[in-house]
Amino acid sequence: MRAVVDAALCQGHAQCVLVAPEVFELGDDDVAHVVRERLQEELRPQLETVVRACPVQAISLTGE
Ligand code: F3S
């Protein structure tokens, strides 16, 4: 599984960084970056929380 941040939507609310700091980092540009490429299935519940927590729906998960 991978997480993707739509940089055009992200407004730096940082909820993703709070919920999953091992996966997301806020850049100097105030846009979240994914710092881990491949994410274990065990992280899915946490990442689904992240998807819901982002106020502008900038995060999506892909199955690969
Ligand atoms: Fe951006 Fe949403 Fe995270 S706005 S910083 S992707 S909570």
Side-chain angles (χ1 to χ4, degrees):
M1 172 180 47
R2 291 171 192 267
V4 180
V5 176
D6 185 335
L9 289 177
C10 176
Q11 295 176 359
H13 292 286
Q15 296 306 304
C16 52
V17 182
L18 284 177
V19 177
E22 68 275 41
V23 178
F24 299 95
E25 207 173 75
L26 202 58
D28 293 338
D29 50 0
D30 263 354
V31 169
H33 300 279
V34 177
V35 293
R36 272 170 60 180
E37 279 279 304
R38 292 195 172 270
L39 306 168
Q40 311 95 301
E41 271 306 307
E42 292 73 28
L43 287 172
R44 188 175 288 275
Q46 190 182 2
L47 290 168
E48 286 175 349
T49 301
V50 169
V51 168
R52 285 194 300 271
C54 175
V56 294
Q57 284 86 48
I59 300 170
S60 53
L61 304 177
T62 66
E64 318 161 37

